[in-house]
Amino acid sequence: MSRHTVHSRLRTLLGEPGSLRGRLIRGGAGSAIVQALNRLIALAVGIVLARSLGAEGYGVYAYAFALMSVLMVPAELGIPVLLVREVAAGVARADWAYVRGICTRSTQFVFAASTVISLIAALSVWRFGESMPADQRQTLLLVLFLLPLSALSKTFAGALHGLQHVVMGQAVEALLRPTLVLLGVLVLFTVAPAMRLPQYAMAVQVVVAVAVFFTALLLLIRYLPDAVRTMKARFCTREWLAHAIPFILIGGAGIINNQVDILMLGYIRTHEDVGIYRVAVQGSVLVAFGLQAVTAVVAPQFARLYAQGDMERLQRLVTISARLVFIAALPVVLAFILAGGTIVGWVFGPEFVASYYPLSIHAVGQL
């Protein structure tokens, strides 16, 4: 086959470099790579923390993070997702006053909401947390300081998405943050083994959050169109708040569904049980690794074929995608069922062998 023929077929599949189809596929592939790397790095962070903190310390850390994730729902007000849509619409209309207005107002809303929630929660921990162990209380206070920084960083990333810098916006949260956390924890725990405690691991998260916050802010300033800087902002506050409500409900349902089990377990059982269960949840995520990668690549094709009314090719693509995902997931599930205890003990440490049964159940559920 000639080089010209190969290039022609690639162009047919991927689209011309400047075409909408080509941008969608390449954007989807870029997002898939970012998400895949995020899962791998997050797993590496979990392994380092589990082996360094032990089951109980890792449970304290995981419980604090689950609490922050739930508090992020009212702290964000659904605005990061709303920004993606509204900024993109404003750019498409060249309505720079609208873009400046929603970016400004969104930052104000998220800052105010996240700060108030953090202060109320911190005062509650300080007032009613006297019976807590010192490491748990300190970890909770640090994670509440982390909340506004994370909420604002996600807001800036949402604006970057709306400006069509999708991979850049994702990379800040999905790659830069976990990579810096991994490096920070490795350095800290290697240089100072006595600091292998959950509050110090959370302190690393806070330092990294400051770096990510300024990085996201500088990127947004860098990629914001010049016209936005000089235009007087136009605000549609009531309209934006009304549009944000569905995103609050949808995002909140997803986050609560993913974190409520950790919070419930932490309430009725020990932090050691939370740490063991958290390892099972992290391990089972590998089952869906192929699903995420395949979906990110083919989702634009689903939309294109549906818009064209080509149901036959759409069905064929869905069937092939489902088979690929199943083929990728099945060996992982079988490995966890047949040798999950050995795998967990070798990767996370002997304390976590007890996560075999919840890991197997989660893995089958993921499949």
Side-chain angles (χ1 to χ4, degrees):
M1 184 181 297
S2 68
R3 180 180 299 180
H4 175 74
T5 304
V6 172
H7 286 176
S8 297
R9 292 190 177 183
L10 284 174
R11 283 196 299 270
T12 301
L13 176 64
L14 298 176
E16 294 295 336
S19 68
L20 176 60
R21 179 184 175 191
R23 291 198 303 271
L24 285 172
I25 295 174
R26 289 171 178 82
S31 298
I33 293 171
V34 169
Q35 293 302 320
L37 290 174
N38 169 258
R39 291 196 176 222
L40 291 176
I41 299 171
L43 180 61
V45 172
I47 292 170
V48 171
L49 289 176
R51 297 190 73 92
S52 302
L53 303 178
E56 184 174 359
Y58 189 49
V60 171
Y61 178 91
Y63 183 84
F65 235 101
L67 178 62
M68 188 194 79
S69 298
V70 172
L71 292 178
M72 283 284 281
V73 176
E76 292 177 355
L77 297 171
I79 284 175
V81 181
L82 175 68
L83 268 175
V84 177
R85 187 184 75 179
E86 296 301 322
V87 170
V91 171
R93 299 191 305 264
D95 190 347
W96 309 122
Y98 185 85
V99 173
R100 179 165 184 171
I102 193 169
C103 287
T104 302
R105 189 67 83 218
S106 296
T107 302
Q108 294 169 346
F109 280 155
V110 172
F111 174 76
S114 60
T115 301
V116 169
I117 290 169
S118 293
L119 287 175
I120 293 174
L123 288 173
S124 300
V125 172
W126 190 266
R127 175 66 179 83
F128 302 106
E130 296 179 355
S131 60
M132 294 181 185
D135 60 343
Q136 182 181 354
R137 187 169 62 254
Q138 293 168 10
T139 304
L140 285 173
L141 289 173
L142 282 168
V143 85
L144 293 173
F145 184 75
L146 177 66
L147 177 63
L149 293 169
S150 297
L152 287 168
S153 296
K154 289 186 69 175
T155 301
F156 299 151
L160 283 170
H161 287 197
L163 293 170
Q164 304 305 310
H165 296 285
V166 178
V167 176
M168 183 70 70
Q170 286 183 329
V172 173
E173 282 289 322
L175 289 185
L176 181 62
R177 184 190 296 275
T179 300
L180 291 179
V181 169
L182 178 61
L183 294 175
V185 169
L186 282 172
V187 171
L188 178 65
F189 289 170
T190 301
V191 173
M195 300 179 74
R196 294 181 177 181
L197 296 169
Q199 60 266 44
Y200 293 113
M202 194 61 71
V204 172
Q205 284 278 5
V206 173
V207 173
V208 169
V210 173
V212 171
F213 168 83
F214 283 108
T215 301
L217 177 59
L218 291 174
L219 284 172
L220 179 58
I221 294 173
R222 165 68 178 81
Y223 289 111
L224 208 60
D226 292 334
V228 177
R229 309 173 201 274
T230 58
M231 190 69 63
K232 183 179 179 180
R234 187 173 84 255
F235 301 106
C236 305
T237 304
R238 290 186 178 180
E239 178 185 345
W240 292 333
L241 286 175
H243 289 170
I245 292 174
F247 295 120
I248 298 174
L249 298 176
I250 295 170
I255 290 174
I256 292 172
N257 182 57
N258 289 332
Q259 302 297 336
V260 70
D261 50 353
I262 298 289
L263 295 177
M264 289 175 60
L265 190 62
Y267 182 74
I268 63 177
R269 303 285 294 186
T270 66
H271 284 103
E272 181 179 0
D273 292 327
V274 173
I276 291 171
Y277 179 78
R278 177 60 182 165
V279 164
V281 173
Q282 282 189 303
S284 67
V285 168
L286 291 175
V287 178
F289 190 86
L291 170 65
Q292 191 172 31
V294 171
T295 301
V297 174
V298 301
Q301 293 303 301
F302 290 164
R304 181 181 63 84
L305 292 173
Y306 180 80
Q308 293 175 348
D310 193 344
M311 295 298 123
E312 183 178 350
R313 290 180 62 192
L314 176 60
Q315 178 61 66
R316 190 159 61 247
L317 181 59
V318 170
T319 302
I320 293 172
S321 302
R323 289 172 180 170
L324 287 174
V325 171
F326 181 77
I327 291 171
L330 185 59
V332 180
V333 175
L334 293 177
F336 284 155
I337 292 175
L338 298 176
T342 302
I343 294 172
V344 170
W346 180 69
V347 175
F348 289 93
E351 282 188 88
F352 297 94
V353 172
S355 67
Y356 165 70
Y357 289 109
L359 173 60
S360 300
I361 293 171
H362 268 282
V364 172
Q366 289 280 5
L367 181 65

